[in-house]
Amino acid sequence: MGDLRLVKDFKVEEGFFGRYEKLVKDVVLPYQERALNDQIEGAEKSHCIENFRMAAKKLKTGSCDGEFYGMVFQDSDVAKWLEGAAYSLAQNPDEALEKRCDEIIELIGEAQQKDGYLNTYFTVKEPEKRWTNLHEAHELYCAGHMIEAAVAYTECTGKAKLLEIMCDMADHIYRHFIEEGAEGYPGHPEIELALMRLYRSTKEERYKELALHFINVRGVEEKSLARLGKSSRGYRVCPELCAGAAAGQGSGTCGPGGVSLHRYGRCSYGDGRYRTCGCLQNALEQYHTAQDVCDGSHRLRL
């Protein structure tokens, strides 16, 4: 486990950082805790804790009341608060705060699926789309922040419940990407440094191996993947687009709406927010014989 002595031996009691440590303890952490529980009048609700309650209830009963609320990365707010609370507890023991942290950690464990997967958005709202959009869905990002919180909480309190939960999640990620060979890397880096902190805490080599995997697959040459119509971000290039481009057209037509996707990777669909995958340029002349059928989403997931 982590070295609790190193955390507790570092003290800042006065000056610039001392003032901010006191501000975090007395103002920031209590305010954020109320926000996570939707207890601040007039503020937009966070729903973070409620999302975990709904996920836990759905796993237990098969359904839950209400709907997921917030951004797809909403879980990370809970993780960041727990990490901050952990470091505050190391310097300023507070039994009441620690008890509330323990209760939240218990709830997080109840929201974890049997295979180790932990993410309230994909448990409550879109369970069939786990690991289908690594670029934008922030699953690995949320996992990374919760891993950091777990390591910090163990280092600062000596309690390993959250660490055990996140080891199960890390093992799930290892099985999915290493043992089962799923492709892709996160759009938002975070899991890499979190896995190294987990490795330092547990000494489990597979966590270091997994961190290295995500580092090495990011930004690799796309040409070989493009021959299979794939990109390292986990997208499959639309074959109708590539067929049109390979025939010498400036753009291909994709989907039931006859949407035009251009050579430069910009999609003219709707308000133009959608983009094709990064290997489009290399794939244009490589993938036009594929048998996949475009589903109209303009990016077919692996």
Side-chain angles (χ1 to χ4, degrees):
M1 299 301 177
D3 192 338
L4 181 60
R5 180 182 56 80
L6 292 178
V7 175
K8 291 195 170 183
D9 282 353
F10 180 79
K11 292 187 180 298
V12 179
E13 297 177 346
E14 56 186 26
F16 177 84
F17 289 107
R19 292 195 300 273
Y20 273 96
E21 183 175 292
K22 188 175 187 301
L23 179 67
V24 168
K25 176 176 71 73
D26 295 339
V27 179
V28 176
L29 286 173
Y31 181 89
Q32 290 178 330
E33 184 180 6
R34 295 197 304 275
L36 294 175
N37 285 281
D38 304 324
Q39 295 172 348
I40 299 178
E41 186 176 353
E44 181 181 357
K45 67 179 181 180
S46 161
H47 216 251
C48 282
I49 301 300
E50 188 60 27
N51 285 337
F52 276 98
R53 290 196 184 102
M54 289 194 302
K57 184 176 181 180
K58 185 173 182 180
L59 291 178
K60 184 176 181 179
T61 67
S63 64
C64 60
D65 301 325
E67 297 181 356
F68 178 94
Y69 182 89
M71 303 298 291
V72 70
F73 45 79
Q74 206 77 352
D75 289 1
S76 65
D77 284 0
V78 177
K80 295 167 188 175
W81 182 83
L82 281 170
E83 184 179 7
Y87 288 123
S88 181
L89 288 170
Q91 300 295 326
N92 306 283
D94 182 330
E95 289 184 6
L97 175 60
E98 187 170 336
K99 182 176 183 293
R100 296 196 300 275
C101 289
D102 291 342
E103 291 170 351
I104 291 174
I105 290 169
E106 189 68 28
L107 178 61
I108 291 171
E110 293 172 2
Q112 184 170 39
Q113 298 186 27
K114 290 182 179 180
D115 63 358
Y117 183 86
L118 177 64
N119 186 288
T120 67
Y121 178 89
F122 288 100
T123 297
V124 174
K125 190 169 184 176
E126 294 188 305
E128 74 285 355
K129 293 186 178 180
R130 294 187 342 177
W131 304 126
T132 59
N133 185 355
L134 298 181
H135 185 201
E136 298 164 335
H138 285 70
E139 286 162 283
L140 291 170
Y141 171 84
C142 289
H145 275 298
M146 197 64 80
I147 287 171
E148 289 198 87
V151 172
Y153 202 74
T154 298
E155 289 179 342
C156 295
T157 70
K159 296 179 179 179
K161 173 71 173 180
L162 186 57
L163 190 70
E164 292 168 359
I165 291 169
M166 294 316 298
C167 282
D168 287 345
M169 176 57 163
D171 291 343
H172 167 83
I173 296 170
Y174 184 91
R175 288 193 300 272
H176 185 68
F177 289 96
I178 303 299
E179 295 179 356
E180 299 171 9
E183 295 181 350
Y185 57 87
H188 192 309
E190 160 61 23
I191 189 65
E192 302 87 349
L193 67 90
L195 286 167
M196 288 306 297
R197 290 194 65 185
L198 188 61
Y199 163 71
R200 188 183 69 177
S201 179
T202 65
K203 309 305 180 187
E204 288 288 349
E205 288 288 332
R206 62 181 176 276
Y207 301 146
K208 181 171 68 172
E209 177 190 353
L210 186 57
L212 184 62
H213 166 78
F214 285 127
I215 291 170
N216 285 339
V217 297
R218 181 181 297 277
V220 299
E221 175 60 48
E222 298 277 10
K223 289 183 179 179
S224 60
L225 293 171
R227 294 179 184 277
L228 300 175
K230 299 178 180 180
S231 80
S232 59
R233 282 187 183 262
Y235 296 131
R236 190 180 297 279
V237 181
C238 172
E240 295 181 30
L241 163 63
C242 295
Q249 302 171 8
S251 63
T253 298
C254 166
V259 177
S260 180
L261 299 174
H262 298 276
R263 282 185 182 275
Y264 296 102
R266 178 66 61 180
C267 173
S268 61
Y269 176 75
D271 61 7
R273 289 181 296 114
Y274 297 94
R275 298 177 64 190
T276 55
C277 75
C279 69
L280 172 61
Q281 293 292 329
N282 293 324
L284 288 177
E285 297 182 4
Q286 303 286 350
Y287 190 49
H288 61 277
T289 60
Q291 299 300 311
D292 294 53
V293 177
C294 175
D295 66 356
S297 68
H298 321 298
R299 292 179 300 186
L300 300 185
R301 308 301 183 190
L302 293 176

